[in-house]
Structures are given as structure tokens and as C-alpha cells.
Amino acid sequence: QVPLVESGGGSVQAGGSLRLSCGVSGYRNSIEYIGWFRQAPGKEREGVAAIYTGAGVTYYSDSVKGRFTISQDSAKNTVILQMSSLKPEDTAMFYCAASPLLGLGWDSLNPRKFESWGQGTQVTVSS
């Protein structure tokens, strides 16, 4: 029951940038990973980026590698997804989520490993 709140979505042209923010409130002792996921209409939810909050290790899907950057602030109150060189195929509802599991590694891109979810923020990229 960890509350997460996403913000920063919007509509941009192809090649543009957006900065998404995931705010964390309440107790955070059980949070080991924060992930960003997206879901387009008619498609399954997929992980795009995740961060191990203890050491800042990051993971990216092949489709966004080199274009997206995930980071957290020093107080661990906020996790940022900086998105550049956006493509129309990036259009989706984006969600952040928290997992208490240890040692996920690349499995931190698996939405089934996450228990707490935000409500989502829409990202639309036009050509």
C-alpha cells in the first residue's frame, strides 16, 4: 500500500523530449526497485526502465536504450524518467511501480514482480 503518483505526460512531436516523475509518499522501507512501464491500447504492459533504489543500478528495455534515462533524487522521494528522441511507437500510458523483492536484476522489467502501482500518465508522440 505504497502510494505512487506519476506526472509529466503530454503530447509531443517525434524527436521531442518529455520528463516523467514518480512521487513516493508514505513508508518506503520495503521498496527495492522502482520501474517504469507502458501500455498501448490492445497491447500488453511492458517494462521500459527500472532502478535498484539501494545502489542506483539501472535497467532498460532494448527499445528505449540510449533514449531514456531513469534516475532518483538524493532523498529517494522522486524517480525520474527522462525521455528523448521520442518515436510514435512510444505512445502509451506510462506507469511507475514499486517492488519489495531483492535481487530482481533484469526481472525488474517484469510487471508481475511489482505490487504497488500509480494511476498512470499519458504520453502521445505524433509524426
Side-chain angles (χ1 to χ4, degrees), residues 18-97:
L18 283 173
R19 181 179 181 270
L20 305 185
S21 177
C22 178
V24 180
S25 63
Y27 297 102
R28 292 179 287 150
N29 288 346
S30 64
I31 300 176
E32 296 294 332
Y33 292 84
I34 297 290
W36 281 98
F37 303 82
R38 66 187 181 190
Q39 188 166 23
K43 297 184 178 180
E44 66 181 11
R45 189 169 298 184
E46 63 174 345
V48 297
I51 186 168
Y52 170 51
T53 61
V57 180
T58 58
Y59 304 87
Y60 299 94
S61 69
D62 289 340
S63 63
V64 309
K65 190 179 301 181
R67 300 187 297 121
F68 292 9
T69 301
I70 188 170
S71 62
Q72 62 184 355
D73 67 358
S74 59
K76 300 183 179 180
N77 292 320
T78 305
V79 174
I80 300 297
L81 185 67
Q82 179 66 50
M83 306 186 295
S84 300
S85 301
L86 284 163
K87 306 174 180 179
E89 51 263 44
D90 294 319
T91 295
M93 184 72 74
F94 280 70
Y95 303 87
C96 66

